[in-house]
Amino acid sequence: MAPSKPTSGELQHRVAFDERTTVDDGYGNTEGGFAERFKSWAAFRPRGGSEAVVAARLEGRNILGVYLRSTAQTTQIKADWRMRDVRTGDVYAIRIVDAVSDRYWVYVEVQTGVAA
């Protein structure tokens, strides 16, 4: 059975979406950083987690399903962007963006513990 769509009462998390930009440092080099594009209210749904061995250490990774209202801004989200929780400051790498399956909601799958 497909997961149920969120209600407006579940949109309790304020998130910001950042796009990678390149900036000239004045010495002929470019620096890659992130610039905030917009903020939105979101509903988080836990999707489980996993563990990975990195440098002989076990690291936990959490996967979240995030629902956003479909707007002109949220339909522009790309997989090379990152998402930040404005309240906690947590940074998430975007894995999957689905802006076409539902005309009312944009589904974004994000993951912690990986490079954004």
Side-chain angles (χ1 to χ4, degrees):
M1 186 166 132
S4 63
K5 302 299 179 202
T7 62
S8 60
E10 291 181 68
L11 299 173
Q12 300 176 356
H13 301 274
R14 190 73 169 157
V15 295
F17 288 91
D18 303 331
E19 180 182 21
R20 185 173 293 278
T21 60
T22 55
V23 179
D24 185 11
D25 66 356
Y27 297 102
N29 303 314
T30 57
E31 298 174 352
F34 285 95
E36 183 178 309
R37 290 288 305 264
F38 63 91
K39 293 180 182 174
S40 179
W41 290 100
F44 287 0
R45 300 262 177 99
R47 295 286 180 240
S50 65
E51 293 178 338
V53 178
V54 177
R57 293 188 181 146
L58 197 59
E59 287 188 354
R61 295 182 177 169
N62 191 17
I63 300 171
L64 291 175
V66 179
Y67 286 92
L68 309 157
R69 289 193 189 275
S70 182
T71 65
Q73 292 177 325
T74 58
T75 56
Q76 296 176 5
I77 299 171
K78 306 239 182 323
D80 61 343
W81 291 14
R82 73 177 185 184
M83 185 184 85
R84 287 182 295 115
D85 189 328
V86 174
R87 184 178 56 86
T88 64
D90 294 337
V91 178
Y92 300 91
I94 297 176
R95 295 178 57 193
I96 299 170
V97 179
D98 181 8
V100 295
S101 295
D102 188 351
R103 58 187 260 191
Y104 299 109
W105 298 100
V106 173
Y107 174 76
V108 179
E109 192 170 281
V110 298
Q111 184 175 5
T112 61
V114 295

